[in-house]
Amino acid sequence: MREDSCLHAALLCLGVLCYSHALSTERFNHSRPSLHGHHEKGKEGQVLHRSKRGWVWNQFFVIEEYTGPDPVLVGRLHSDIDSGDGNIKYILSGEGAGIIFVIDDKSGNIHATKTLDREERAQYTLTAQAVDRNTNRPLEPPSEFIVKVQDINDNPPEFLHENYHANVPERSNVGTSVIQVTASDADDPTYGNSAKLVYSILEGQPYFSVEAQTGIIRTALPNMDREAKEEYHVVIQAKDMGGHMGGLSGTTKVTITLTDVNDNPPKFPQSVYQMSVSEAAVPGEEVGRVKAKDPDIGENGLVAYSIIDGDGMDMFEITTDYETQEGVVKLKKTLDYETKKSYSLKVEAANVHIDPKFISNGPFKDTVTVKIAVEDADEPPVFLKPSYIFEVQENAASGTVVGKVHAKDPDAANSAIRYSIDRHTDLERYFVINAEDGNIKTIKALDREEMAWHNISVFAVEVHKQHQEAKVPVAIKVIDVNDNAPRFAAAYEAFVCENARSNQQFITISADDKDDSANGPRFIFSLPPEIIHNPNFTLRDNRDNTASVLVRREGFSRQKQDLYLLPIVISDGGVPPLSSTNTLSVRVCGCDSGGSLLSCNAEAYVLNAGLSTGALVAILACIIILLVIVVLFVTLKRQKKEPLIVFEEEDVRENIITYDDEGGGEEDTEAFDIATLQNPDGINGFIPRKDIKPEYQYLPRPGLRPAPNSVDVDDFINTRIQEADNDPTAPPYDSIQIYGYEGRGSVAGSLSSLESATTDSDLDYDYLQNWGPRFKKLADLYGSKDTFDDDS
C-alpha cells in the first residue's frame, strides 16, 4: 500500500512538469506573429491590419485516477489579441466539454472536473475558439486539440478463470505439461511496464512448476502416486511491471488430479480364508466370498478369480462379481459329510488389464488358500442302489421271496429303517414287504401272460424321524413257465376239390403260444395216433412252425360227404412240452378242371337214363305228394282272402299282406283282389282308405273312367299312381302294392318238376341244396347220381 502511494505521487509530479512545459510552449506560440494577416476595424473605426497565428495546437495530457481536492489544470488558451480587458471570450466544445472539461472564458484555463480512467477512455477530442464577448463574433478560427489520459498502473492482472481443473497421469515424468493459465492486464501495454506480466507459483511446490512467461504448469516431481495423494491445489500468481517491486498482481487456483494407471497388483488381505457349507446344500449354492484389494480404479482395478489347485477343484467353483470385485465360491457337486469333511482350494486373483509400461511392477496377481468345512445335515435314508430289478416265476406259490431292498441312514446316528410298498403302484396287491429287513414276497400267484412286468415303489423311513423318507423303484419280471399249450394261429377252414389229386397240398397251418419264446416255438405238428393212417388226408411238418395238409387219395364226392373234421396235434418246445389237439374243418367243393373253386354246397344231379324202376316210382310219389300239399295250401289261402280296401268301420292302418308260400301263377289272387283294382270306386262310389282320412270329400277328376275287365294291369297301375300323385286329399305316399306274378308266361318260370321228370333233362339241380330242409329230400333224390350208378 505504501509502494502504491509513492508511485501515485511520482506520477503526479511528472504530470505537473509536462503541464508547465506545455503552458510555456503555448505562451510562446501565442506571442508569435501570424504569417497570414487580415484586416480588422479598431474601436475608432480605423481598419487594423494583423497576421493570423502560425502555431498548431499540441496535445494536452491529464493523469488518470487523479483524486486531488481541486480540479486538475489541463492547459490554457490565450489569443494574441487578448489585451486583458475582458472583451475576449473563450469557448470550449467537443467530447466531454462542459461535463468533464470546463474552461474559464476570461483566462482560457481548462480544468478536468472528474476523475478520468484510461481503461474507460484513453483520449478526448475538443475544439477551442475565441469570440468577442459582446458580439460573439469569432476572433480566431476554431482549432481542435486532443486531451490524452495519461496511464498509471492502476489495474492488477486478471486470469480468465477463477479456478482451473486439470488432470495428469500418475507416475508421469518430470516436466509433463499439465495446463496453461492465462492472465490479462487492462493497463496500457505501450506505456511503461504496467501490462508486462510474469507468472509464478505460490502454492504447489515441489510437485509442480510454472513457466514465467507462458503460464504453462508442469510436473516437478517424478513418480507421483495417485494412491498416495490424488488431488493437488496449486496457486499461480501473475504480476505486472515485469514482476518488479511495486507491480500489481492477481492469482488463480488450479486443482490438479492424478489419473490412475495400473501400477499396483491385487493383494489378498489375509493368507487363508475359512468357510463352511452344509452337506445338504444343492449345487450352485454360494459357499463364501474372497476379495483381493487393488488400489487402482476403473478397468485398472478389475480382478478375475480362478481355482488353480486343491482337493476341492471338482467339488467347488469360483466366479467373479465385477460390481463388488469379489470372488464368489459356489458348490459344484453334492457333498457328503460322512465321506469327506473338509476341502482345500488355492484361489488366484489376477488383473484383467495390464499396462505394459509398468510390467516391471508385477506380477499383477496374488493367491490365497480357502479351507471349506463340510457340516453334517440330517439326511433321508439312502438306498444302496438307485433301482432294483428282481425276477420271479409265474404261478409261484404265495409267499415266494422276490428279492430284498436295503437302505441306510447316511447320518452318523445311523437310525433304524422301516420299509413299505407304495400301494398306488401295486393296486392288485401282488406283493408284500417285510418292514424290518426289506424282503419282498408274493401274496398271490402271478401270470406272465397277463402282466410280464410289475413296477412298484418302496419307501424307506427312519424309525425316529418319520419326515425323513426315501423312495426307490423296483421292477419285478415274471419268468415264463410253460403253462399254455399251442393253438391254431387262426380259425382255419380248408377246402378240397372233388377232383383233387393224390398228395396235393391244399392248406398250410401255423400255431401260436401265449408263453414266452423259450416255451413256445419250435412247434411240432402231427396227427393223432388213432388216425395216423387216415385214408383221406395226411400232414407234413415243415419244421418252420408251419405244417402242410395234403390229400392222400383222389376223388371226393360232396354227395357222399361234404365235410371232414381232421384232428391235428400241436406240441411246443417247452420243458416239459405241452400239446393240444385242434380240429381242422375240410369242406369238399366243386372245382373246374383248372382247380378253381366253383361251389361248396351239395347239388342235385340229373338222373341218368338207366335209373331203376323203384327209384323212379319213389321220385314220382314224392312229387305227387308235394303237389297235393301245394294245392291244399292254395285252397286254404283263397278261403281266408280279405279285401284290401277296408270299410269305414274297420280300423286297419295297412293293407299290405306278407306271405312266404309259393303262389300258383297268375291265377293266384289270394294276396290281392284284382277286381278291386278294376273297380276302385266300389258300388257306393269312392271308398276312403283307412290309412288316411281326407279333410274334404274327394271329387273324381273328369276324364277318369273305371277300367273295363279286360284292362291291362300295367296301364291300370300307372293310371292309379298318377291319380294318387295328383290327389290333394291323399298323403304324399301311396299304398298301391306291386307283385311279381308267377306261373305260365312269367319270367321266373314254373316251379313244377312234373314235366322235367318225364324227360331226359340236362338241368343241374345243385341249387336244391340251398333251399333248406323242406327240399332236402328232392335234393337227395336228384343229387344221388353216384348212388344210382352204383345200383345199376
Side-chain angles (χ1 to χ4, degrees), residues 381-433:
V382 177
F383 283 94
L384 298 184
K385 296 181 180 180
S387 62
Y388 291 86
I389 299 178
F390 299 130
E391 294 181 349
V392 62
Q393 285 190 343
E394 66 174 328
N395 302 324
S398 176
T400 301
V401 176
V402 176
K404 180 179 181 179
V405 298
H406 183 68
K408 67 176 183 178
D409 182 9
D411 299 322
N414 196 18
S415 301
I417 306 297
R418 294 186 63 85
Y419 303 93
S420 62
I421 294 178
D422 183 1
R423 287 304 171 187
H424 293 92
T425 61
D426 186 26
L427 297 176
E428 301 295 331
R429 293 183 176 270
Y430 286 106
F431 307 97
V432 68
I433 190 171

Side-chain angles (χ1 to χ4, degrees), residues 7-21:
L7 180 63
H8 288 169
L11 293 175
L12 182 60
C13 293
L14 180 62
V16 171
L17 291 175
C18 293
Y19 169 72
S20 301
H21 174 73

